[in-house]
Amino acid sequence: MLKILKKIDLTIDEEEILRLLAHHKRKEETIKTKLLNLIKETKALSKDMLHPQGMFKIVDKMALKEGPYFRGEDMIALGLCTIGDELENKVSQLNQQGKLAQAVMLDAMGSVAAESTADFLNLQVCQWCQKKGLGSSQRFSPGYGDWSLEGQRFIFSLLPAERIRVKLNPSCMMIPRKSVSFAIKIGEEFKSLKTKKICETCNLKNCPYRK
Amino acid sequence: MQDFLEKCFESILQGDKEGAVKLAKESIELQYDPLKVIDEGFVKGVKRVGELWEEGTYFLPELVLGAEAMKAALSVLQPILLKKNIQREKTSKLLIGTVQGDIHDIGKTIVATMLQAHGFEVIDLGVDVPNHAFVQKAKEQKVDFVCMSSLLTTTMQNQAKVIEELAKAKIRENLKVMVGGAPTSQDWAKQIGADLYAENAVEAVNVAKSALQH
């Protein structure tokens, strides 16, 4: 089963943007007006630059025989989404114009938007599982935890990524950069699973963005 | 003059680029010692901005705004130093880029901007920089530092390859190599024979400065 979603409504969580832009020792102090104005201004700028779209596919164990990482699974969902390349082109442009602070802000906004798009797809997968009386694991992506970045090739071999204009470069980096790929394990055993925070399962303990 | 220096300090703290440039120009008109204006006004400001970020009070855009204001003030005052043949504390020439296969730009640019704000002469090679380009430019420009960023586990090996090529070109001993990027670490730097590792832009400035003293 393949589902492609070309229209996705996004909500950009400002607190999440601030989390990405804060030092990990962030003090809970009042945010200065200048910074809030920069967020407001950048949010307005990004409004027409976000083009979220995505897809997910339910893959059964026949297809999984080929993938080294999921050999033991009966069924998984693979997802891929993007916000397009307009925002990151604008980031480069701002950078070249010497407006680095705004470029940094816009880049963070793009990251939040891409994750929010992935959240939307994730929800679709959960709803599909619920209808089938199945459970689902949390989502995880190549390059995180013990799944190597080369896992991207497995995802891209099973999804028609070109239909949302996402491609992989030879280093397994997705282009546009603000794209997210992921897998979700599906099965009865996940129905009663208590969901851990996504960062708790990752080995990158000193990651500055660890939640 | 103390009040004036205080204003210079404050302009950087507020990330006020226009204000910093105005003050730099004013200091020339008032014939203030440019070295004193830089070191006791603007530099003090950019150091404080770094501290405020490190202690978790400032957000990344505020750190960047401070660095941009500092760079703008320096661009006004540095020609005056040159004209008067005044030497600032020892700084150096530095080459920076994101390694081949990786097109992550923004983190590397923040590091480059912070280093410039602290008086380093920075040559930014951009992203997806071929290994030989690091070596060629380092040789050509006789740089003191080669800084490489890599955000991918699939490309970080290129940092090691560049170090090997620098050795083959017989210039490895003449410069320090700094590495950084999400999958890298102090251990990784040691493993590939890099001299320095920095986790973020403020640390990059600190380790580069400290390397200059040794």
Side-chain angles (χ1 to χ4, degrees), chain A residues 56-104:
Chain A
F56 71 91
K57 187 176 183 179
I58 309 295
V59 184
D60 67 13
K61 62 177 165 193
M62 288 309 286
L64 294 176
K65 272 184 187 166
E66 304 300 317
Y69 198 75
F70 298 102
R71 244 172 232 152
E73 308 300 329
D74 279 339
M75 200 188 280
I76 59 165
L78 294 177
L80 177 65
C81 60
T82 185
I83 58 159
D85 61 7
E86 197 179 336
L87 182 137
E88 63 194 45
N89 292 339
K90 185 68 186 174
V91 169
S92 304
Q93 194 190 19
L94 287 168
N95 208 346
Q96 279 158 13
Q97 288 169 348
K99 296 176 180 172
L100 185 57
Q102 191 164 30
V104 168

Side-chain angles (χ1 to χ4, degrees), chain A residues 18-27 29 31-32 34-35 38 91-92 95 98-101 103-105 107 149-150 169 171-175 177 204 206 208, chain B residues 14-17 53-62 64-65 68 100-106 109-110 113 151-155 182-185 197 199-200:
Chain A
L18 287 169
R19 191 185 68 79
L20 284 182
L21 295 173
H23 194 276
H24 61 89
K25 291 183 204 155
R26 177 184 170 185
K27 284 183 181 170
E29 286 180 356
I31 316 289
K32 284 187 281 307
K34 191 168 182 172
L35 190 67
L38 187 63
V91 169
S92 304
N95 208 346
K99 296 176 180 172
L100 185 57
V104 168
M105 183 67 86
D107 188 75
L149 192 58
E150 281 86 352
N169 80 359
S171 321
C172 293
M173 188 172 173
M174 285 182 286
I175 296 163
R177 269 172 286 179
L204 203 60
N206 62 350
Chain B
Q14 297 304 323
D16 179 6
K17 201 195 254 185
W53 182 73
E54 275 190 312
E55 71 184 34
T57 302
Y58 266 22
F59 286 82
L60 199 51
E62 294 171 300
V64 170
L65 283 170
E68 284 183 320
Q100 188 161 16
D102 192 338
I103 55 168
H104 286 101
D105 194 13
I106 207 120
T109 307
I110 295 170
T113 304
L151 274 289
L152 302 168
T153 50
T154 47
T155 58
T184 67
S185 63
Y197 162 74
E199 198 183 287
N200 56 55

Side-chain angles (χ1 to χ4, degrees), chain A residues 12-22 26 28-29 31 36 39 43 112, chain B residues 59:
Chain A
I12 308 282
D13 181 357
E14 289 186 9
E15 188 49 41
E16 192 56 16
I17 296 168
L18 287 169
R19 191 185 68 79
L20 284 182
L21 295 173
R26 177 184 170 185
E28 293 301 328
E29 286 180 356
I31 316 289
L36 289 173
I39 295 180
K43 216 171 168 182
V112 173
Chain B
F59 286 82

Side-chain angles (χ1 to χ4, degrees), chain B residues 12-121:
Chain B
I12 304 299
L13 219 58
Q14 297 304 323
D16 179 6
K17 201 195 254 185
E18 287 77 26
V21 167
K22 205 175 149 204
L23 284 163
K25 286 181 179 166
E26 217 176 302
S27 76
I28 299 169
E29 281 164 26
L30 294 167
Q31 295 191 325
Y32 283 155
D33 174 4
L35 206 56
K36 200 167 179 172
V37 172
I38 294 175
D39 289 339
E40 293 176 33
F42 294 123
V43 168
K44 242 172 104 181
V46 82
K47 278 185 183 159
R48 183 69 191 132
V49 166
E51 286 165 7
L52 285 168
W53 182 73
E54 275 190 312
E55 71 184 34
T57 302
Y58 266 22
F59 286 82
L60 199 51
E62 294 171 300
L63 175 76
V64 170
L65 283 170
E68 284 183 320
M70 178 72 200
K71 255 175 71 181
L74 277 183
S75 69
V76 175
L77 291 169
Q78 254 161 352
I80 306 297
L81 291 182
L82 274 178
K83 211 166 133 191
K84 294 189 174 178
N85 206 15
I86 305 171
Q87 283 282 330
R88 280 190 70 204
E89 61 176 313
K90 195 187 165 203
T91 52
S92 355
K93 208 186 252 189
L94 192 146
L95 191 63
I96 192 168
T98 305
V99 297
Q100 188 161 16
D102 192 338
I103 55 168
H104 286 101
D105 194 13
I106 207 120
K108 179 266 303 161
T109 307
I110 295 170
V111 173
T113 304
M114 280 299 286
L115 286 161
Q116 279 175 310
H118 282 264
F120 285 85
E121 186 184 338

